[in-house]
């Protein structure tokens, strides 16, 4: 795929790059997005039944079963060519730094080799006590890929206080982890290029990062097959998918030096 000239120019002159990713980054790995029609998780499930503190209070076993199944399905997916391109960008194409700030709760950036990924919305693979906040290091068995998803599953119990163990993700109505947010703002403020990949730009405060980057002087580029709430903030939009556009960009940078 041909890289649009303005995008290539912006990437070529950038020393400090930040790639801000959303669910579309992992779509070509087979991880469903949230808001795409038909295939998005929020097209099939009601977010307020699953991803809120109220849902957890009401029916923890229902919420746990859903996250447990999503955690299990991670074992069956692999990073795609887009994740790998981001991980090799600095080395292959000579940027000083390529930071990753993601809203995704999967670990595909890490598995592709990106060091030091900032997870704004937590991680499917971390768990903590819903009462005393202690990290849960105990066993969480991964469901077999072929197994039917149980409707309800009792969460593990915290060894410190006996509270129920909850997924280490951010739910609607909860604050982002402060350290992750502060790191995200810091890297975006010092970036020359903010590349926004595969997010609808609807969930705040994450959706504010491109605005902060632009305000601090970065060039903002959007990679997304569709128009989003971030498109207007971007200096350049590239209507392509992550696993196609990102390898094309990094290869073009490596070729042209
Ligand atoms: P969304 O599902 O809202 O948006 C996914 C975006 O990815 C859309 O703009 C699609 O057009 C785009 N997309 C789809 N396939 C793509 C591909 N192959 N390559 C590039 N882009 C593609 O997902 P997010 O913006 O990540 O929050 O959602 C934000 C937050 O809402 C999530 O982190 C989650 C959710 O509720 C929490 O769980 C707290």
């Amino acid at each position: 795929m041909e890289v649009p000239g303005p995008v290539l120019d912006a990437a070529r002159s950038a020393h400090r790059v930040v790639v801000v990713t959303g669910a579309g980054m992992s779509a070509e790995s087979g991880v469903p997005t949230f808001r795409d029609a038909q295939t998005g998780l929020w097209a099939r499930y009601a977010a307020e039944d699953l991803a809120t503190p109220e849902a957890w209070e009401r029916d923890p076993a229902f919420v746990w079963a859903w996250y447990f199944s999503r955690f299990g399905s991670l074992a069956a997916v692999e990073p795609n060519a887009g994740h790998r391109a981001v991980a090799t960008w600095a080395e292959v194409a000579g940027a000083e730094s390529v930071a990753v700030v993601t809203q995704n709760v999967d670990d595909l950036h890490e598995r592709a080799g990106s060091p030091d990924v900032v997870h704004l919305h937590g991680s499917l693979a971390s768990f903590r006590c819903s009462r005393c906040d202690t990290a849960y290091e105990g066993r969480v068995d991964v469901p077999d890929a072929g197994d039917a998803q149980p409707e309800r599953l009792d969460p593990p119990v915290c060894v410190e206080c006996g509270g129920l163990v909850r997924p280490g993700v951010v739910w609607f109505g909860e604050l982002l982890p402060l350290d992750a947010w502060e790191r995200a703002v810091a890297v975006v403020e010092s970036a020359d290029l903010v590349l926004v990949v595969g997010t609808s730009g609807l969930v705040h405060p994450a959706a504010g990062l491109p605005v902060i980057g632009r305000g601090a002087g970065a060039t903002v580029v959007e990679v997304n097959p569709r128009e989003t709430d971030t498109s207007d903030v971007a200096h350049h939009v590239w209507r392509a998918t992550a696993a196609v556009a990102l390898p094309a960009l990094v290869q073009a940078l490596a070729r042209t030096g």
Side-chain angles (χ1 to χ4, degrees), residues 21-28 33-36 40 42 47 51 67 70 103-105 121 169-172 197-203 223-228 240-243:
T21 66
M25 181 77 227
S26 299
E28 286 150 296
T33 65
F34 292 94
R35 295 180 182 78
D36 280 298
W42 297 153
Y67 279 96
R70 286 178 61 204
Q103 296 167 78
N104 296 345
V105 291
H121 292 167
V169 301
V170 176
W171 285 326
F172 289 105
V197 184
T199 175
S200 56
L202 289 170
V203 175
V223 174
N224 197 307
R226 295 199 187 81
E227 182 162 357
T228 73
T241 68

Side-chain angles (χ1 to χ4, degrees), residues 13 49 71 74 79 81 102 114 122 155 189 211 217 222 232 235:
S13 59
D49 289 343
F71 170 55
L74 281 188
T102 190
S114 283
E189 280 182 339
V211 183
E222 177 179 66
D232 282 350
H235 294 89

Side-chain angles (χ1 to χ4, degrees), residues 37 53 60 81 89 91 112 128 138 226 237:
W89 184 332
E91 193 188 335
R128 67 173 192 274
R226 295 199 187 81
V237 294

Side-chain angles (χ1 to χ4, degrees), residues 43-231:
R44 291 183 282 148
Y45 304 95
E48 58 273 22
D49 289 343
L50 289 162
T52 62
E54 293 75 24
W56 175 258
E57 288 300 320
R58 204 164 45 234
D59 196 346
F62 183 69
V63 173
W64 180 260
W66 191 69
Y67 279 96
F68 180 75
S69 145
R70 286 178 61 204
F71 170 55
S73 64
L74 281 188
V77 299
E78 296 289 337
N80 64 51
H83 296 104
R84 292 195 295 273
V86 171
T88 57
W89 184 332
E91 193 188 335
V92 172
E96 185 185 313
S97 64
V98 178
V100 178
V101 176
T102 190
Q103 296 167 78
N104 296 345
V105 291
D106 64 47
D107 59 353
L108 295 179
H109 281 298
E110 285 90 340
R111 278 159 58 189
S114 283
D116 203 19
V117 177
V118 178
H119 280 273
L120 293 173
H121 292 167
S123 158
L124 276 179
S126 75
F127 308 94
R128 67 173 192 274
C129 177
S130 59
R131 192 189 293 161
C132 73
D133 254 9
T134 302
Y136 177 72
E137 311 287 356
R139 203 182 146 99
V140 175
D141 289 323
V142 177
D144 286 336
D147 284 0
Q149 178 190 331
E151 170 109 340
R152 283 191 167 65
L153 199 60
D154 287 332
V157 170
C158 173
V159 288
E160 299 293 327
C161 77
L164 294 181
V165 171
R166 58 161 281 177
V169 301
V170 176
W171 285 326
F172 289 105
E174 293 186 320
L175 295 176
L176 267 51
L178 187 60
D179 56 336
W181 175 249
E182 286 179 348
R183 284 172 61 210
V185 170
V187 288
V188 160
E189 280 182 339
S190 64
D192 311 307
L193 173 66
V194 176
L195 196 68
V196 188
V197 184
T199 175
S200 56
L202 289 170
V203 175
H204 287 268
L209 289 171
V211 183
I212 294 172
R214 186 166 176 146
T219 302
V220 177
V221 173
E222 177 179 66
V223 174
N224 197 307
R226 295 199 187 81
E227 182 162 357
T228 73
D229 269 31
T230 296
S231 303

